[in-house]
Amino acid sequence: MNRFRAVWPIVDETIPFPDLCREANAEIPRLAAQARAHLTRVGRFLIAPSDLVPGSGRVTAWSLVYEAPATPVRRSTITATSERERTYATNDHRACPRCGIVRDARPASLCNDCEPLARAENAHEAAA
């Protein structure tokens, strides 16, 4: 199963969690479209230390993370407008099996963001 993940830095820590989620929820359809992901179910929000969130940029101490199951959008449905996008859409790019982000990757390999998370999950499951 593929996953879609979006990350926002939490700049103002006084804003309540439901308000942060409401603000971020408005951006999810646009971000999923940019990532060429079709969300298959409703996801979940969580707050995590930025040091532990790949892709957070560690700009702030905490990050708001949204994860949801998703499927990659087929390349044939992508309308490429620029030369770079046409080249990208026709090259052999693959979706990360964990998050679904389309990247220049080997078949069945995780992206650089998901690889450390998967290793940590496997270590946690092995320790349990």
Side-chain angles (χ1 to χ4, degrees):
M1 178 186 334
N2 296 319
R3 293 184 194 180
F4 167 76
R5 183 185 326 130
V7 179
W8 294 267
I10 298 177
V11 179
D12 184 359
E13 295 181 10
T14 62
I15 298 174
F17 180 70
D19 292 342
L20 290 172
C21 295
R22 195 174 309 110
E23 264 186 65
N25 202 35
E27 296 182 33
I28 290 173
R30 180 183 57 82
L31 294 173
Q34 284 179 341
R36 297 181 178 127
H38 172 70
L39 303 181
T40 58
R41 288 192 314 229
V42 176
R44 66 185 177 127
F45 283 100
L46 61 103
I47 293 179
S50 292
D51 293 344
L52 303 177
V53 179
S56 69
R58 296 181 179 100
V59 176
T60 59
W62 297 93
S63 293
L64 178 67
V65 180
Y66 177 81
E67 283 194 337
T71 56
V73 174
R74 294 176 50 109
R75 274 185 229 107
S76 61
T77 62
I78 299 168
T79 305
T81 55
S82 69
E83 183 61 34
R84 181 184 176 282
E85 289 175 354
R86 279 193 291 277
T87 302
Y88 186 81
T90 56
N91 286 348
D92 189 25
H93 296 283
R94 305 215 190 284
C96 171
R98 187 170 188 275
C99 68
I101 296 174
V102 177
R103 300 214 177 152
D104 192 14
R106 301 177 305 276
S109 68
L110 297 175
C111 69
N112 292 339
D113 291 339
C114 289
E115 202 167 302
L117 287 175
R119 269 191 262 121
E121 286 174 357
N122 291 340
H124 178 71
E125 289 173 4

